[in-house]
Every structure is written in C-alpha cells, then in structure tokens.
Amino acid sequence: MKNKLIIGSWSGIPEYNLLKKNDDEFLEKQFEMLAESGIELSPVPICHASEEFRLKTLELAQKNGLKQLIEDYEMSVFLKTLKNRPSVTEEKAVGLILEYSRKYLEYESFAGYFIADEPSIEEAANLVYASRIFKKALPGKLFYFNLFPQYALPSCLKTDSYDDYIAAFSKAETDYMSFDFYALMTENGENYVRNGFLENIAKVKKTCDELGKDMWAFCCSSAHYYGAIRGSETYGQAAFQAFVNYTLGARGIFWFCYYAPDVDDSYLNALVDREGRKDVAYENVKKVNAELKALDEYLWDYECVCRGAVINGQLKTISGGVPTDKPGKSPTDKPGKSPADDFTVKILAAERNVVFAAYGSGGDEGILITNFDEPTSGRENAVTVKVDSPEANVLSAGKTEKIRCDGGKLKYKLKSGGAIFVSPCGR
C-alpha cells in the first residue's frame, strides 16, 4: 500500500532569537508562513525549547493543519538508554512512555518524537531496541531519526562500511528510513554534483524495498560551510534535488533548513532568515513543494516498474542498490525479462544527464524524466521520448498539456532541475 508523500524540513521555528523570546504574534505569523511553504511536518527548533514552547508549537501546528515533531530531552535520553536499563521491563517502559506523552497526545498535530540525527553505528542497537518498545507504546507516532550520507567519514559512521551502517539501522521498527545527501557543491568557483548521489539513493532504496519501508531524503535549502555546500538559491537547485530523489523512489522530501540555524555564520540562508523573514529559498521551495504534490497525486494510481538514468550517454538501470550500465536502445532494454521490457514509452535520447522512472497503470504507461544536469548552469536539456501516439500528455510544473508528436516521438526541453511525466494521450 503506497503511503502519502510527506514533505518536511529541519530546523524549525525557534523559541528565542538572539536571546530574545519570540512573542505569540511572531509565532502565529511564522506558522502561517510554514504552512504556506507546503511543508506539512513541522520540524523541531535547533536549540533547546521549553515544555511551554513545545506545547505552543503543537497548538499552532494544529491551527494551521500541520503535524509537529517534538524534541523532548527527557524522552530522548530515556529511549536512548533504555536497552542498558534491564530493571525497566518492557511493560513498565511502555507505560512510562505513554504516561509521559499524554500532554502531547492531547493535540492531533502531535506527530511523534525527534530522537537522533546522524547517529553512529555504535548507537544502532540502542535505537533499534527503543523503537520496538516505542511502537508498542505509541503506534502510529514517529520514532524519528535521520542517517548520515555515504560520504560521511568512517570516524563519524564508526564503521568503514556504509552498507553495514544502513543495515544496522534498518532493523529499527519504523515505517521509513531517512537520510541526507547534499549533492550541490562548489569549489574554487566551480559548481558540480557530488559523486555518489545516485548510488546513495539506490542503496537506501534497496534496503527500504526489501523491508517494506518508505525512503525519506533530505534536500539542501540552506547553503552552509560558507557556501561550499549550496542550497536552493534558484528554482533549478531546489527542483533538481527534490525531483531526483522523488524520481528514484523517495516518499518523503525534507528540506535542510527551514529556519536559518542560530548557531554560527556558516549558514548563509534558508527558507526563513534569523529574523523570521522569507529568504531566497522560500519561494523556490514553495513552488517545488506544490509541484511535487501535484505530480504525486497524478501518479497515485500508477506503479513504478523500473528506475534508471542516462549518464554521459550511457543507459543505466537501478537495481540491487546499484546503477548498472545496460547498453541498448533505451533505458528499459536490459537482459532478462522485466515489466518494463515491453513498454512503448521510452527515452530515445537525452542531450544531457537525466534520471527516470517507468510507470504502468492497467494498460496505461508513462515515464517520469528529471533533468540531472548540474542545475546552477540554468541549461535546458533536450530529450526525445518514444510515445507511439499522435499526441502525448505532458505533466510539467504541476500542469498537464497535450503536445503533438512527430512520428510517435516527443521532443521536449527540460528546464534546469525540471521534471516531466509523459504518457500517450488516451489516459
């Protein structure tokens, strides 16, 4: 059963700005802006928040139709150390968790607890154990933690194997696996896509598919490390990150950050700046969020049967957690039989790199294509798609149009970071 696409973020609306407590009027406006952005799962603030403020965020989230994560230090410590406290039986732990959470459960907006960000493999056993107890106490609520990307140093992962790292946390009794990978980089004035982006997505997606979990992926909306990691200063940068992850199977798209973290000056921007004003990324991410929701609604009755990419002219399919070279006339041609082999809707050519997902719904077919060219360039990407129909339905930027095909072929120029879903007319 497919779960609804969830859009979340990191670094929520804070209780204080530069040691000044934010008043109710400020908070009301901030939660209205958060809802307007298209983010549905309201994040916890970076800095510690009082219980009074946590309850206020639940109230305002509920007022604006949002879900709210809660970071509660007492609960986090209790859960992280529970495995090492054999005197606390499972039955007792369930009761304690439920009783402590009653103040939050009074709000429909309570989504669950934020537990950890980028834990090392040494923390996996404790989190896995706690997740099982937590699920008994609060079924349907999030036991939320987010994992390192594969480019994290072994000293951070506490292992030399990213596969082992993923496997350790996959045992947690959660319905999802969340990870971050910030792909857009700049060095010595050169913009590029960090190596390993597709491979990291493929590895996490493979594990999720094997366990029946959703994959949640972070996109970067806040340039940090003084700009070495780029954010979403342009629509193309925001769209590139979100649509690549979505095309390759993400059911959760999260943005780092929503509110500019008040920690140091290396964070250059976000959706909202430290004074609560809409920043450069706000409108870009808002637009992408709306397009993601429209696309997901359109594809709801479709089933993805094949994912892949065209990289430097080489056709690849993504299976077994690895993008694999598959020479042939289209990305869906590969040895052996798969549901995609008989598809008529296929990519015939791409001027620059793309990622794709082939879909079916009954007798209907379609293909989702996302521009994988470095987005800051602003370059268009000409693609040719075999449709075998006089006309094609093309969904782009949340709108559908019919486009005439030449000899059963659709020629289309993808915008920077852009994505289209193409299907023969008749759907």
Side-chain angles (χ1 to χ4, degrees):
M1 179 67 178
K2 186 189 296 185
N3 290 321
K4 177 179 176 290
L5 176 70
I6 185 169
I7 298 179
S9 63
W10 185 262
S11 183
I13 299 160
E15 185 172 10
Y16 288 83
N17 274 332
L18 294 175
L19 300 180
K20 179 183 177 182
K21 188 170 184 178
N22 292 317
D23 60 26
D24 287 353
E25 182 180 357
F26 178 87
L27 295 175
E28 290 268 2
K29 180 180 178 182
Q30 291 303 312
F31 271 84
E32 290 172 3
M33 285 170 52
L34 177 61
E36 180 191 341
S37 75
I39 291 171
E40 302 157 320
L41 181 60
S42 176
V44 301
I46 288 290
C47 298
H48 175 73
S50 66
E51 181 176 302
E52 176 190 8
F53 184 75
R54 294 195 293 269
L55 295 174
K56 186 66 177 180
T57 63
L58 288 167
E59 174 192 328
L60 292 174
Q62 189 156 310
K63 182 178 179 180
N64 288 277
L66 305 172
K67 293 294 185 181
Q68 178 70 52
L69 275 174
I70 292 295
E71 182 176 18
D72 186 306
Y73 181 76
E74 294 297 329
M75 179 61 76
S76 295
V77 171
F78 177 77
L79 290 170
K80 290 177 181 178
T81 60
L82 187 56
K83 186 175 185 294
N84 303 323
R85 303 176 68 177
S87 61
V88 181
T89 65
E90 288 192 16
E91 182 180 0
K92 183 177 181 179
V94 166
L96 290 171
I97 294 168
L98 185 57
E99 181 62 29
Y100 187 87
S101 302
R102 290 195 189 281
K103 55 183 174 287
Y104 302 135
L105 290 167
E106 293 179 7
Y107 297 88
E108 292 182 6
S109 58
F110 176 50
Y113 290 100
F114 164 84
I115 307 299
D117 180 44
E118 296 182 335
S120 75
I121 197 171
E122 293 175 350
E123 300 170 72
N126 283 9
L127 290 177
V128 169
Y129 178 83
S131 70
R132 181 168 58 83
I133 308 301
F134 183 90
K135 188 173 184 179
K136 291 181 179 180
L138 297 175
K141 299 300 181 185
L142 285 173
F143 179 96
Y144 181 75
F145 62 92
N146 176 66
L147 300 179
F148 274 115
Q150 68 176 10
Y151 57 77
L153 296 173
S155 59
C156 296
L157 301 175
K158 301 299 183 184
T159 176
D160 292 328
S161 169
Y162 190 69
D163 290 343
D164 289 348
Y165 176 76
I166 294 173
F169 287 101
S170 71
K171 299 172 184 177
E173 294 202 17
T174 60
D175 297 328
Y176 71 92
M177 289 187 72
S178 174
F179 75 104
D180 52 65
F181 190 110
Y182 302 135
L184 299 180
M185 304 291 295
T186 186
E187 186 175 358
N188 298 324
E190 179 184 355
N191 298 319
Y192 63 96
V193 178
R194 191 196 294 262
N195 287 335
F197 188 25
L198 299 186
E199 289 80 4
N200 204 153
I201 297 173
K203 286 182 179 182
V204 178
K205 179 60 176 165
K206 174 180 179 288
T207 301
C208 287
D209 287 347
E210 290 172 348
L211 298 172
K213 299 188 179 200
D214 283 342
M215 180 176 73
W216 294 357
F218 266 90
C219 307
C220 189
S221 52
S222 178
H224 52 292
Y225 295 143
Y226 299 98
I229 297 177
R230 287 175 293 137
S232 298
E233 296 88 351
T234 68
Y235 165 82
Q237 289 172 217
F240 172 92
Q241 298 177 84
F243 285 117
V244 168
N245 277 298
Y246 180 86
T247 301
L248 297 182
R251 297 302 302 160
I253 298 294
F254 287 67
W255 297 97
F256 177 92
C257 299
Y258 176 74
Y259 205 100
D262 192 9
V263 289
D264 61 51
D265 291 338
S266 72
Y267 293 86
L268 304 183
N269 51 56
L271 272 74
V272 175
D273 69 18
R274 289 172 182 166
E275 296 183 23
R277 301 169 300 193
K278 293 178 181 178
D279 207 340
V280 62
Y282 185 92
E283 293 299 334
N284 297 327
V285 171
K286 175 183 173 181
K287 186 173 188 292
V288 170
N289 287 343
E291 292 173 2
L292 278 169
K293 291 176 185 178
L295 175 61
D296 195 59
E297 181 178 351
Y298 190 86
L299 293 178
W300 187 255
D301 293 328
Y302 278 94
E303 179 183 357
C304 181
V305 297
C306 179
R307 292 187 173 92
V310 180
I311 306 296
N312 298 326
Q314 177 63 61
L315 308 171
K316 300 173 181 284
T317 56
I318 297 176
S319 60
V322 180
T324 305
D325 292 347
K326 296 291 182 183
K329 295 181 179 179
S330 83
T332 55
D333 289 338
K334 57 186 185 292
K337 191 71 173 174
S338 84
D341 287 336
D342 298 325
F343 267 39
T344 57
V345 183
K346 301 178 180 180
I347 301 173
L348 296 179
E351 181 182 11
R352 297 183 174 90
N353 296 342
V354 298
V355 295
F356 71 89
Y359 286 83
S361 176
D364 295 330
E365 299 176 11
I367 190 165
L368 175 61
I369 307 170
T370 294
N371 190 352
F372 194 63
D373 185 42
E374 199 289 317
T376 315
S377 67
R379 293 186 296 243
E380 293 182 329
N381 190 349
V383 295
T384 303
V385 183
K386 179 184 177 185
V387 182
D388 278 357
S389 176
E391 290 184 315
N393 287 315
V394 178
L395 175 66
S396 175
K399 298 179 180 179
T400 306
E401 61 177 327
K402 291 183 178 180
I403 299 179
R404 293 288 301 175
C405 299
D406 183 7
K409 299 176 183 178
L410 170 74
K411 295 185 177 181
Y412 194 95
K413 289 186 177 181
L414 291 169
K415 294 181 180 180
S416 174
I420 58 171
F421 183 75
V422 180
S423 59
C425 278
R427 184 196 167 185

